[in-house]
Amino acid sequence: MNYFDQKNDTICALSTASGMGAIAVIRISGAAAFEITNRIFTKNIAEVPSHSAHFGRIKNAAGEIIDEVLLTVLKEGRSFTGENTVEIACHGSTYIQQQILQLLLTSGCRMAQPGEFTMRAFLNGKMDLSQAEAVADLISSESKKAHEIAMNQMRGGFSSELNDLREKLIHFASLVELELDFAEEDVEFADRTELKALVSEVLAYIQRLMKSFELGNAIKNGVPVAIVGAPNTGKSTLLNQLLGEERAIVSNIAGTTRDVIEETLNIEGIIFRLIDTAGIREGAEAIEAIGIEKSKQKIDQAQLVVLMSDYSENESHHEGHSTMSTDETVVWAKQLQQIYPTKKFIVLANKMDMRPSANTLEEDDNLKILAISAKKGLGIEEFKKWLVDQIQAGFDVSQETIVTNVRHVEALEKAAFSLQQAKDGLVTQVTGDFIAMDIRQAMFHLGSITGSISTDDLLGNIFAKFCIGK
Amino acid sequence: MNYFDQKNDTICALSTASGMGAIAVIRISGAAAFEITNRIFTKNIAEVPSHSAHFGRIKNAAGEIIDEVLLTVLKEGRSFTGENTVEIACHGSTYIQQQILQLLLTSGCRMAQPGEFTMRAFLNGKMDLSQAEAVADLISSESKKAHEIAMNQMRGGFSSELNDLREKLIHFASLVELELDFAEEDVEFADRTELKALVSEVLAYIQRLMKSFELGNAIKNGVPVAIVGAPNTGKSTLLNQLLGEERAIVSNIAGTTRDVIEETLNIEGIIFRLIDTAGIREGAEAIEAIGIEKSKQKIDQAQLVVLMSDYSENESHHEGHSTMSTDETVVWAKQLQQIYPTKKFIVLANKMDMRPSANTLEEDDNLKILAISAKKGLGIEEFKKWLVDQIQAGFDVSQETIVTNVRHVEALEKAAFSLQQAKDGLVTQVTGDFIAMDIRQAMFHLGSITGSISTDDLLGNIFAKFCIGK
């Protein structure tokens, strides 16, 4: 696929979700958008003003009516892509959608590639690259936090921070380069102490952005959580307790729910994805062996691990059935912490309501142990708070820029590497031309994020991941 | 649900297909549509002209930006519903869709019931009832013919025929009733012979419409077809031959195909639904017993029955494996015709390419027998023509009105019954007041189709079947 040979084509695509709906929207963009539309529409839209809507009929070459539609005209410079654009709101049958697209193809349009509308918006200077990428993130955002970050990025929040950084570096580089012009005179225009402070400041800032990706990625893709434990510790009760309220919210608005409801939890706007809960839901745990192997597989995929344990003092229960006490589970957790040092663990001491004595759990600095009753809903709020804290600690999502894009992190890493080199160079007193080169390199990488520096290959890669119609 | 207590509410719904897309459209309709929109939109749309589009931001009460949207304003009398209407084209994430709907609900809208937009169009005189029903048919139309019929009906084709009929009956009734006014004088204003001819004409026309429902229903819902036969007769080869081309067409336009491709054939715009082909596709026929019981179940559901037979002269094949010759299959077919007199049968004499002698099949007036080679594609076109002929024979879909709606057929049946009574009354010389009553009754039933006569219950039933957002 090469977008660039054909950037003057007029393109079309279904822009609404596929399938049957009351209405569907087909978008056309390009220089010939109005001319092509006039070939199939019963009204002449050549001279109508921008941002006007027109009711009329779509007809094929044989004069057969395909549909009655509401068509919106957006003129060059005032549309999303920056090009002449027509949006056709037709009846939402898949047959009609296909017929109109077919008709557009035979009338001079070409099917848009994934992301091609947004790429044109970028190429026409309507937005920079990180803003364009945010459009895709916005469309796929499933939670308040993911939406907030994407919206901030789309509206240029991240771009303006990057531009601030670049300006600081430009200032820096120009001082160093000025020095070079007078190299023979051995003059130091730039105060090296001040330069060091400036590079350190920019570097620290970039490192904070890099670190934010951990949170950003969790918010964008959801946090994988494993709930494991011996049978009869109450995993399915916990799951029902957690999902109970959630389900009600999801089905609140008719027409917007999805066919398959994943086992996910949305807590304070962060999506937690519960790994392989199918068995738990079906109550299979009762007949399941402790299944160490299966637990390991789940823990491998998880970022947060919840270990369920039986904290009741029901001794007959302990003996008669296979369950696992909290003390035993804490031992297990500590073994797991050795094996998985980067994952975060919590032991839930379940069935606290069935424990007559009010003795408290021992505090443990290295492992969170929390008494709950999944059945009675005790301790659940504190458990949720623990989940959120593991992800959000140290960041204020609504205030600070959070990086969510792998490409951006990679560019930031490269920029940080070059800045570190420049900083080292200042310490070891290398000549200004090397330092200037490092700084220019850092600026190049920062520029690749917003697309002020870009290549066709890069753009192709980015936009190919979009859905068609955007 | 009662639509009628709340017909002054302002309603909203997602109007595009549910799920994620590049964009989604939320529709708002009602007297307060502009006022409510102004509460959440960054531009004031109170005074803008109808059919104008506006780019701006949706904000919640806390001032957080939910999305950047393109919003189209359609004023009372010029919109689909006839009411003030706003269409919000937002980014197509389910999160954003839900947020905007939530915001509209808290700002004074109520969620639309299924079909409520179209019902308002009817109540506001934008279309009659049969046209409104055609909107739902249009949205669910999957084939050219179904689309053609729905489009004709939506554009008032059926309604105008019904109005012609009603006018003829009004003329008739007024003549009969005039006679009643002069009953004591024993005058006959209406020429009874002429009246009889008129009633017969209208009755014949209604009966043709009733009969068209057989075709209309097949076009709207697809024609169920059973392919049955002994193992090794080539059922799966036939299926692959039939579906081969089809599949390619379906996947032609990216973004419009559906996740699950049914085993359906679209021949000349009519959808043929192949019953339970799962076993055939997987080649299970080889290990399957003849399965008389299973065949019967399939035939029960079918309108057309295709019996596969082995027409090759490969005797060893006949003996070694369980297959069934064409002669044997014809005997079977004739038994089935006795059991299922309303279904249509064809015997396919498959593997004609493996028959060295060129002897022809015996003609049979009561049973179609067709030599084919599923493997080599011989006779397939003639087979398809047979399928289409069974459905289309006697009707010109592009010219004549085809009834597709059960409610309409029922109303037509009632009207026909009353007209038959009137006709009988003319023969047996009953008094004019009885005849006039029958004619009025017939007119009532015809009127119920277009909704010139309607009740709240009737409307509730009709529109509840619509999808939300239309």
PDB file of all heavy atoms in Angstrom, chain A residues 15 22-23 51 53 65-66 68 93 95 139 144 147 151 155 255, chain B residues 15 18 22-23 51 53 65-66 68 93 95 138-139 144 147 151 155:
ATOM      1  N   SER A  15     -18.017   5.303   7.330  1.00  0.00           N
ATOM      2  CA  SER A  15     -17.348   5.844   8.516  1.00  0.00           C
ATOM      3  C   SER A  15     -18.003   5.439   9.823  1.00  0.00           C
ATOM      4  O   SER A  15     -17.408   5.590  10.878  1.00  0.00           O
ATOM      5  CB  SER A  15     -17.291   7.375   8.430  1.00  0.00           C
ATOM      6  OG  SER A  15     -16.271   7.762   7.539  1.00  0.00           O
ATOM      7  N   ALA A  22     -29.975   2.336  12.183  1.00  0.00           N
ATOM      8  CA  ALA A  22     -31.016   3.170  11.599  1.00  0.00           C
ATOM      9  C   ALA A  22     -30.419   3.981  10.450  1.00  0.00           C
ATOM     10  O   ALA A  22     -30.971   4.067   9.370  1.00  0.00           O
ATOM     11  CB  ALA A  22     -31.628   4.089  12.652  1.00  0.00           C
ATOM     12  N   ILE A  23     -29.256   4.598  10.695  1.00  0.00           N
ATOM     13  CA  ILE A  23     -28.570   5.294   9.616  1.00  0.00           C
ATOM     14  C   ILE A  23     -27.098   4.893   9.588  1.00  0.00           C
ATOM     15  O   ILE A  23     -26.563   4.330  10.538  1.00  0.00           O
ATOM     16  CB  ILE A  23     -28.698   6.839   9.733  1.00  0.00           C
ATOM     17  CG1 ILE A  23     -28.028   7.360  10.997  1.00  0.00           C
ATOM     18  CG2 ILE A  23     -30.126   7.289   9.672  1.00  0.00           C
ATOM     19  CD1 ILE A  23     -27.976   8.882  11.062  1.00  0.00           C
ATOM     20  N   HIS A  51     -20.784  23.557   4.960  1.00  0.00           N
ATOM     21  CA  HIS A  51     -21.554  23.268   6.169  1.00  0.00           C
ATOM     22  C   HIS A  51     -23.060  23.348   5.948  1.00  0.00           C
ATOM     23  O   HIS A  51     -23.805  23.737   6.836  1.00  0.00           O
ATOM     24  CB  HIS A  51     -21.136  24.196   7.327  1.00  0.00           C
ATOM     25  CG  HIS A  51     -19.776  23.852   7.875  1.00  0.00           C
ATOM     26  ND1 HIS A  51     -18.640  23.905   7.102  1.00  0.00           N
ATOM     27  CD2 HIS A  51     -19.379  23.427   9.095  1.00  0.00           C
ATOM     28  CE1 HIS A  51     -17.601  23.541   7.835  1.00  0.00           C
ATOM     29  NE2 HIS A  51     -18.014  23.231   9.039  1.00  0.00           N
ATOM     30  N   ALA A  53     -26.589  21.153   4.686  1.00  0.00           N
ATOM     31  CA  ALA A  53     -27.108  19.788   4.555  1.00  0.00           C
ATOM     32  C   ALA A  53     -28.232  19.773   3.527  1.00  0.00           C
ATOM     33  O   ALA A  53     -29.004  20.734   3.433  1.00  0.00           O
ATOM     34  CB  ALA A  53     -27.622  19.293   5.906  1.00  0.00           C
ATOM     35  N   ILE A  65     -33.615   4.399  -7.855  1.00  0.00           N
ATOM     36  CA  ILE A  65     -33.349   5.085  -6.592  1.00  0.00           C
ATOM     37  C   ILE A  65     -32.698   4.108  -5.616  1.00  0.00           C
ATOM     38  O   ILE A  65     -33.276   3.065  -5.302  1.00  0.00           O
ATOM     39  CB  ILE A  65     -34.639   5.633  -5.970  1.00  0.00           C
ATOM     40  CG1 ILE A  65     -35.276   6.644  -6.920  1.00  0.00           C
ATOM     41  CG2 ILE A  65     -34.360   6.290  -4.620  1.00  0.00           C
ATOM     42  CD1 ILE A  65     -36.681   7.023  -6.553  1.00  0.00           C
ATOM     43  N   ILE A  66     -31.530   4.444  -5.149  1.00  0.00           N
ATOM     44  CA  ILE A  66     -30.852   3.603  -4.161  1.00  0.00           C
ATOM     45  C   ILE A  66     -31.307   3.985  -2.758  1.00  0.00           C
ATOM     46  O   ILE A  66     -31.547   3.144  -1.917  1.00  0.00           O
ATOM     47  CB  ILE A  66     -29.311   3.735  -4.263  1.00  0.00           C
ATOM     48  CG1 ILE A  66     -28.836   3.398  -5.674  1.00  0.00           C
ATOM     49  CG2 ILE A  66     -28.616   2.870  -3.218  1.00  0.00           C
ATOM     50  CD1 ILE A  66     -29.136   1.992  -6.117  1.00  0.00           C
ATOM     51  N   GLU A  68     -32.972   7.558  -0.152  1.00  0.00           N
ATOM     52  CA  GLU A  68     -33.161   8.972   0.169  1.00  0.00           C
ATOM     53  C   GLU A  68     -32.195   9.291   1.293  1.00  0.00           C
ATOM     54  O   GLU A  68     -32.161   8.587   2.299  1.00  0.00           O
ATOM     55  CB  GLU A  68     -34.608   9.226   0.604  1.00  0.00           C
ATOM     56  CG  GLU A  68     -35.599   8.910  -0.489  1.00  0.00           C
ATOM     57  CD  GLU A  68     -37.030   9.297  -0.149  1.00  0.00           C
ATOM     58  OE1 GLU A  68     -37.339   9.416   1.053  1.00  0.00           O
ATOM     59  OE2 GLU A  68     -37.820   9.482  -1.085  1.00  0.00           O
ATOM     60  N   SER A  93     -29.027   0.045   6.059  1.00  0.00           N
ATOM     61  CA  SER A  93     -28.965  -1.374   5.669  1.00  0.00           C
ATOM     62  C   SER A  93     -27.616  -1.636   5.030  1.00  0.00           C
ATOM     63  O   SER A  93     -27.053  -0.781   4.350  1.00  0.00           O
ATOM     64  CB  SER A  93     -30.092  -1.736   4.703  1.00  0.00           C
ATOM     65  OG  SER A  93     -29.690  -1.635   3.368  1.00  0.00           O
ATOM     66  N   TYR A  95     -27.077  -3.520   2.619  1.00  0.00           N
ATOM     67  CA  TYR A  95     -27.255  -3.511   1.172  1.00  0.00           C
ATOM     68  C   TYR A  95     -27.096  -2.099   0.618  1.00  0.00           C
ATOM     69  O   TYR A  95     -26.378  -1.862  -0.352  1.00  0.00           O
ATOM     70  CB  TYR A  95     -28.637  -4.082   0.806  1.00  0.00           C
ATOM     71  CG  TYR A  95     -28.919  -4.011  -0.671  1.00  0.00           C
ATOM     72  CD1 TYR A  95     -28.397  -4.960  -1.537  1.00  0.00           C
ATOM     73  CD2 TYR A  95     -29.667  -2.968  -1.206  1.00  0.00           C
ATOM     74  CE1 TYR A  95     -28.621  -4.884  -2.894  1.00  0.00           C
ATOM     75  CE2 TYR A  95     -29.892  -2.883  -2.564  1.00  0.00           C
ATOM     76  CZ  TYR A  95     -29.372  -3.841  -3.418  1.00  0.00           C
ATOM     77  OH  TYR A  95     -29.589  -3.749  -4.761  1.00  0.00           O
ATOM     78  N   ILE A 139     -11.063   7.108  19.458  1.00  0.00           N
ATOM     79  CA  ILE A 139     -12.099   6.207  18.954  1.00  0.00           C
ATOM     80  C   ILE A 139     -12.107   4.900  19.729  1.00  0.00           C
ATOM     81  O   ILE A 139     -13.155   4.326  19.986  1.00  0.00           O
ATOM     82  CB  ILE A 139     -11.894   5.950  17.446  1.00  0.00           C
ATOM     83  CG1 ILE A 139     -12.216   7.226  16.669  1.00  0.00           C
ATOM     84  CG2 ILE A 139     -12.764   4.802  16.957  1.00  0.00           C
ATOM     85  CD1 ILE A 139     -11.834   7.166  15.222  1.00  0.00           C
ATOM     86  N   LYS A 144     -12.940   6.555  31.072  1.00  0.00           N
ATOM     87  CA  LYS A 144     -12.833   8.000  31.277  1.00  0.00           C
ATOM     88  C   LYS A 144     -11.385   8.464  31.171  1.00  0.00           C
ATOM     89  O   LYS A 144     -11.089   9.459  30.513  1.00  0.00           O
ATOM     90  CB  LYS A 144     -13.408   8.336  32.658  1.00  0.00           C
ATOM     91  CG  LYS A 144     -13.451   9.815  32.993  1.00  0.00           C
ATOM     92  CD  LYS A 144     -14.261  10.017  34.270  1.00  0.00           C
ATOM     93  CE  LYS A 144     -14.013  11.394  34.890  1.00  0.00           C
ATOM     94  NZ  LYS A 144     -14.403  12.498  34.000  1.00  0.00           N
ATOM     95  N   HIS A 147      -9.991   8.218  27.636  1.00  0.00           N
ATOM     96  CA  HIS A 147     -10.634   9.267  26.864  1.00  0.00           C
ATOM     97  C   HIS A 147     -10.005  10.627  27.156  1.00  0.00           C
ATOM     98  O   HIS A 147      -9.710  11.411  26.256  1.00  0.00           O
ATOM     99  CB  HIS A 147     -12.122   9.269  27.202  1.00  0.00           C
ATOM    100  CG  HIS A 147     -12.867  10.443  26.662  1.00  0.00           C
ATOM    101  ND1 HIS A 147     -13.168  11.532  27.430  1.00  0.00           N
ATOM    102  CD2 HIS A 147     -13.339  10.707  25.428  1.00  0.00           C
ATOM    103  CE1 HIS A 147     -13.818  12.419  26.688  1.00  0.00           C
ATOM    104  NE2 HIS A 147     -13.940  11.940  25.476  1.00  0.00           N
ATOM    105  N   MET A 151      -8.105  12.841  24.467  1.00  0.00           N
ATOM    106  CA  MET A 151      -8.684  14.145  24.147  1.00  0.00           C
ATOM    107  C   MET A 151      -7.648  15.250  24.342  1.00  0.00           C
ATOM    108  O   MET A 151      -7.507  16.141  23.499  1.00  0.00           O
ATOM    109  CB  MET A 151      -9.910  14.377  25.044  1.00  0.00           C
ATOM    110  CG  MET A 151     -10.646  15.673  24.821  1.00  0.00           C
ATOM    111  SD  MET A 151     -11.227  15.880  23.127  1.00  0.00           S
ATOM    112  CE  MET A 151     -12.675  14.846  23.150  1.00  0.00           C
ATOM    113  N   ARG A 155      -6.169  17.510  21.287  1.00  0.00           N
ATOM    114  CA  ARG A 155      -6.306  18.963  21.317  1.00  0.00           C
ATOM    115  C   ARG A 155      -4.941  19.649  21.431  1.00  0.00           C
ATOM    116  O   ARG A 155      -4.865  20.869  21.619  1.00  0.00           O
ATOM    117  CB  ARG A 155      -7.243  19.378  22.453  1.00  0.00           C
ATOM    118  CG  ARG A 155      -8.671  18.885  22.196  1.00  0.00           C
ATOM    119  CD  ARG A 155      -9.661  19.353  23.221  1.00  0.00           C
ATOM    120  NE  ARG A 155      -9.562  20.767  23.537  1.00  0.00           N
ATOM    121  CZ  ARG A 155      -9.947  21.752  22.751  1.00  0.00           C
ATOM    122  NH1 ARG A 155     -10.483  21.492  21.591  1.00  0.00           N
ATOM    123  NH2 ARG A 155      -9.815  22.990  23.128  1.00  0.00           N
ATOM    124  N   GLY A 255     -28.871   0.121  23.211  1.00  0.00           N
ATOM    125  CA  GLY A 255     -28.311   0.455  21.901  1.00  0.00           C
ATOM    126  C   GLY A 255     -26.827   0.713  21.903  1.00  0.00           C
ATOM    127  O   GLY A 255     -26.214   0.814  20.860  1.00  0.00           O
TER     128      GLY A 255
ATOM    129  N   SER B  15     -28.144   6.519  16.501  1.00  0.00           N
ATOM    130  CA  SER B  15     -28.835   6.114  15.271  1.00  0.00           C
ATOM    131  C   SER B  15     -27.983   5.265  14.353  1.00  0.00           C
ATOM    132  O   SER B  15     -28.497   4.629  13.438  1.00  0.00           O
ATOM    133  CB  SER B  15     -29.332   7.350  14.512  1.00  0.00           C
ATOM    134  OG  SER B  15     -30.482   7.865  15.126  1.00  0.00           O
ATOM    135  N   SER B  18     -24.412  -0.073  16.463  1.00  0.00           N
ATOM    136  CA  SER B  18     -23.690  -0.024  17.720  1.00  0.00           C
ATOM    137  C   SER B  18     -22.303  -0.612  17.545  1.00  0.00           C
ATOM    138  O   SER B  18     -22.027  -1.317  16.582  1.00  0.00           O
ATOM    139  CB  SER B  18     -24.451  -0.787  18.802  1.00  0.00           C
ATOM    140  OG  SER B  18     -24.501  -2.146  18.478  1.00  0.00           O
ATOM    141  N   ALA B  22     -15.466   4.872  13.047  1.00  0.00           N
ATOM    142  CA  ALA B  22     -14.760   6.146  13.000  1.00  0.00           C
ATOM    143  C   ALA B  22     -15.655   7.248  13.555  1.00  0.00           C
ATOM    144  O   ALA B  22     -15.241   8.060  14.365  1.00  0.00           O
ATOM    145  CB  ALA B  22     -14.337   6.459  11.567  1.00  0.00           C
ATOM    146  N   ILE B  23     -16.904   7.269  13.121  1.00  0.00           N
ATOM    147  CA  ILE B  23     -17.851   8.215  13.694  1.00  0.00           C
ATOM    148  C   ILE B  23     -19.154   7.497  14.076  1.00  0.00           C
ATOM    149  O   ILE B  23     -19.422   6.390  13.631  1.00  0.00           O
ATOM    150  CB  ILE B  23     -18.171   9.407  12.752  1.00  0.00           C
ATOM    151  CG1 ILE B  23     -18.844   8.939  11.469  1.00  0.00           C
ATOM    152  CG2 ILE B  23     -16.929  10.199  12.438  1.00  0.00           C
ATOM    153  CD1 ILE B  23     -19.321  10.106  10.598  1.00  0.00           C
ATOM    154  N   HIS B  51     -30.821  23.001   8.295  1.00  0.00           N
ATOM    155  CA  HIS B  51     -29.900  22.318   7.379  1.00  0.00           C
ATOM    156  C   HIS B  51     -28.505  22.926   7.392  1.00  0.00           C
ATOM    157  O   HIS B  51     -27.829  22.973   6.366  1.00  0.00           O
ATOM    158  CB  HIS B  51     -30.465  22.297   5.952  1.00  0.00           C
ATOM    159  CG  HIS B  51     -31.614  21.341   5.798  1.00  0.00           C
ATOM    160  ND1 HIS B  51     -32.783  21.485   6.516  1.00  0.00           N
ATOM    161  CD2 HIS B  51     -31.767  20.226   5.031  1.00  0.00           C
ATOM    162  CE1 HIS B  51     -33.600  20.497   6.187  1.00  0.00           C
ATOM    163  NE2 HIS B  51     -33.015  19.718   5.302  1.00  0.00           N
ATOM    164  N   ALA B  53     -24.613  22.878   9.338  1.00  0.00           N
ATOM    165  CA  ALA B  53     -23.748  22.021  10.143  1.00  0.00           C
ATOM    166  C   ALA B  53     -22.758  22.885  10.913  1.00  0.00           C
ATOM    167  O   ALA B  53     -22.305  23.913  10.407  1.00  0.00           O
ATOM    168  CB  ALA B  53     -23.003  21.041   9.240  1.00  0.00           C
ATOM    169  N   ILE B  65     -14.272  18.464  28.327  1.00  0.00           N
ATOM    170  CA  ILE B  65     -14.611  18.241  26.923  1.00  0.00           C
ATOM    171  C   ILE B  65     -14.870  16.763  26.695  1.00  0.00           C
ATOM    172  O   ILE B  65     -14.009  15.930  26.947  1.00  0.00           O
ATOM    173  CB  ILE B  65     -13.470  18.701  25.998  1.00  0.00           C
ATOM    174  CG1 ILE B  65     -13.215  20.194  26.188  1.00  0.00           C
ATOM    175  CG2 ILE B  65     -13.802  18.400  24.538  1.00  0.00           C
ATOM    176  CD1 ILE B  65     -11.926  20.665  25.565  1.00  0.00           C
ATOM    177  N   ILE B  66     -16.055  16.439  26.219  1.00  0.00           N
ATOM    178  CA  ILE B  66     -16.381  15.041  25.914  1.00  0.00           C
ATOM    179  C   ILE B  66     -15.935  14.705  24.499  1.00  0.00           C
ATOM    180  O   ILE B  66     -15.393  13.640  24.237  1.00  0.00           O
ATOM    181  CB  ILE B  66     -17.902  14.777  26.055  1.00  0.00           C
ATOM    182  CG1 ILE B  66     -18.384  15.148  27.457  1.00  0.00           C
ATOM    183  CG2 ILE B  66     -18.239  13.337  25.737  1.00  0.00           C
ATOM    184  CD1 ILE B  66     -17.721  14.367  28.571  1.00  0.00           C
ATOM    185  N   GLU B  68     -15.112  16.576  20.216  1.00  0.00           N
ATOM    186  CA  GLU B  68     -15.295  17.567  19.161  1.00  0.00           C
ATOM    187  C   GLU B  68     -16.211  16.940  18.135  1.00  0.00           C
ATOM    188  O   GLU B  68     -15.963  15.822  17.688  1.00  0.00           O
ATOM    189  CB  GLU B  68     -13.951  17.917  18.535  1.00  0.00           C
ATOM    190  CG  GLU B  68     -12.993  18.543  19.553  1.00  0.00           C
ATOM    191  CD  GLU B  68     -11.707  19.062  18.925  1.00  0.00           C
ATOM    192  OE1 GLU B  68     -11.331  18.574  17.842  1.00  0.00           O
ATOM    193  OE2 GLU B  68     -11.090  19.942  19.528  1.00  0.00           O
ATOM    194  N   SER B  93     -16.250   6.142  19.475  1.00  0.00           N
ATOM    195  CA  SER B  93     -15.949   5.221  20.581  1.00  0.00           C
ATOM    196  C   SER B  93     -17.218   4.988  21.382  1.00  0.00           C
ATOM    197  O   SER B  93     -18.051   5.885  21.532  1.00  0.00           O
ATOM    198  CB  SER B  93     -14.847   5.783  21.482  1.00  0.00           C
ATOM    199  OG  SER B  93     -15.380   6.477  22.588  1.00  0.00           O
ATOM    200  N   TYR B  95     -17.411   4.653  24.442  1.00  0.00           N
ATOM    201  CA  TYR B  95     -17.351   5.501  25.631  1.00  0.00           C
ATOM    202  C   TYR B  95     -17.953   6.878  25.342  1.00  0.00           C
ATOM    203  O   TYR B  95     -18.776   7.388  26.106  1.00  0.00           O
ATOM    204  CB  TYR B  95     -15.907   5.639  26.117  1.00  0.00           C
ATOM    205  CG  TYR B  95     -15.773   6.577  27.293  1.00  0.00           C
ATOM    206  CD1 TYR B  95     -16.095   6.148  28.578  1.00  0.00           C
ATOM    207  CD2 TYR B  95     -15.386   7.896  27.108  1.00  0.00           C
ATOM    208  CE1 TYR B  95     -16.008   7.010  29.649  1.00  0.00           C
ATOM    209  CE2 TYR B  95     -15.299   8.775  28.181  1.00  0.00           C
ATOM    210  CZ  TYR B  95     -15.605   8.336  29.449  1.00  0.00           C
ATOM    211  OH  TYR B  95     -15.538   9.190  30.510  1.00  0.00           O
ATOM    212  N   LEU B 138     -36.627  -1.218   4.702  1.00  0.00           N
ATOM    213  CA  LEU B 138     -35.492  -0.709   3.928  1.00  0.00           C
ATOM    214  C   LEU B 138     -34.200  -0.933   4.694  1.00  0.00           C
ATOM    215  O   LEU B 138     -33.195  -1.381   4.146  1.00  0.00           O
ATOM    216  CB  LEU B 138     -35.696   0.786   3.662  1.00  0.00           C
ATOM    217  CG  LEU B 138     -34.772   1.399   2.622  1.00  0.00           C
ATOM    218  CD1 LEU B 138     -35.049   0.826   1.244  1.00  0.00           C
ATOM    219  CD2 LEU B 138     -34.921   2.912   2.593  1.00  0.00           C
ATOM    220  N   ILE B 139     -34.251  -0.650   5.998  1.00  0.00           N
ATOM    221  CA  ILE B 139     -33.050  -0.795   6.817  1.00  0.00           C
ATOM    222  C   ILE B 139     -32.605  -2.253   6.888  1.00  0.00           C
ATOM    223  O   ILE B 139     -31.418  -2.546   6.887  1.00  0.00           O
ATOM    224  CB  ILE B 139     -33.300  -0.229   8.232  1.00  0.00           C
ATOM    225  CG1 ILE B 139     -33.399   1.288   8.150  1.00  0.00           C
ATOM    226  CG2 ILE B 139     -32.197  -0.634   9.191  1.00  0.00           C
ATOM    227  CD1 ILE B 139     -33.869   1.940   9.419  1.00  0.00           C
ATOM    228  N   LYS B 144     -31.293  -6.889  -3.580  1.00  0.00           N
ATOM    229  CA  LYS B 144     -31.774  -5.885  -4.520  1.00  0.00           C
ATOM    230  C   LYS B 144     -33.300  -5.862  -4.565  1.00  0.00           C
ATOM    231  O   LYS B 144     -33.912  -4.799  -4.530  1.00  0.00           O
ATOM    232  CB  LYS B 144     -31.208  -6.213  -5.905  1.00  0.00           C
ATOM    233  CG  LYS B 144     -31.538  -5.211  -6.995  1.00  0.00           C
ATOM    234  CD  LYS B 144     -30.742  -5.532  -8.251  1.00  0.00           C
ATOM    235  CE  LYS B 144     -31.300  -4.830  -9.480  1.00  0.00           C
ATOM    236  NZ  LYS B 144     -31.296  -3.353  -9.361  1.00  0.00           N
ATOM    237  N   HIS B 147     -34.854  -4.532  -1.363  1.00  0.00           N
ATOM    238  CA  HIS B 147     -34.608  -3.101  -1.345  1.00  0.00           C
ATOM    239  C   HIS B 147     -35.562  -2.360  -2.273  1.00  0.00           C
ATOM    240  O   HIS B 147     -36.145  -1.339  -1.910  1.00  0.00           O
ATOM    241  CB  HIS B 147     -33.144  -2.862  -1.746  1.00  0.00           C
ATOM    242  CG  HIS B 147     -32.822  -1.433  -1.988  1.00  0.00           C
ATOM    243  ND1 HIS B 147     -32.751  -0.903  -3.251  1.00  0.00           N
ATOM    244  CD2 HIS B 147     -32.568  -0.429  -1.136  1.00  0.00           C
ATOM    245  CE1 HIS B 147     -32.451   0.386  -3.162  1.00  0.00           C
ATOM    246  NE2 HIS B 147     -32.337   0.698  -1.896  1.00  0.00           N
ATOM    247  N   MET B 151     -38.236   0.322  -1.063  1.00  0.00           N
ATOM    248  CA  MET B 151     -38.079   1.696  -1.556  1.00  0.00           C
ATOM    249  C   MET B 151     -39.357   2.181  -2.221  1.00  0.00           C
ATOM    250  O   MET B 151     -39.815   3.294  -1.985  1.00  0.00           O
ATOM    251  CB  MET B 151     -36.898   1.728  -2.545  1.00  0.00           C
ATOM    252  CG  MET B 151     -36.580   3.094  -3.114  1.00  0.00           C
ATOM    253  SD  MET B 151     -36.205   4.331  -1.845  1.00  0.00           S
ATOM    254  CE  MET B 151     -34.528   3.888  -1.469  1.00  0.00           C
ATOM    255  N   ARG B 155     -41.684   5.216  -0.798  1.00  0.00           N
ATOM    256  CA  ARG B 155     -41.965   6.386  -1.613  1.00  0.00           C
ATOM    257  C   ARG B 155     -43.443   6.490  -1.966  1.00  0.00           C
ATOM    258  O   ARG B 155     -43.851   7.323  -2.782  1.00  0.00           O
ATOM    259  CB  ARG B 155     -41.086   6.373  -2.862  1.00  0.00           C
ATOM    260  CG  ARG B 155     -39.605   6.505  -2.492  1.00  0.00           C
ATOM    261  CD  ARG B 155     -38.697   6.578  -3.688  1.00  0.00           C
ATOM    262  NE  ARG B 155     -39.159   7.487  -4.707  1.00  0.00           N
ATOM    263  CZ  ARG B 155     -39.125   8.800  -4.627  1.00  0.00           C
ATOM    264  NH1 ARG B 155     -38.648   9.389  -3.561  1.00  0.00           N
ATOM    265  NH2 ARG B 155     -39.565   9.532  -5.613  1.00  0.00           N
TER     266      ARG B 155
END
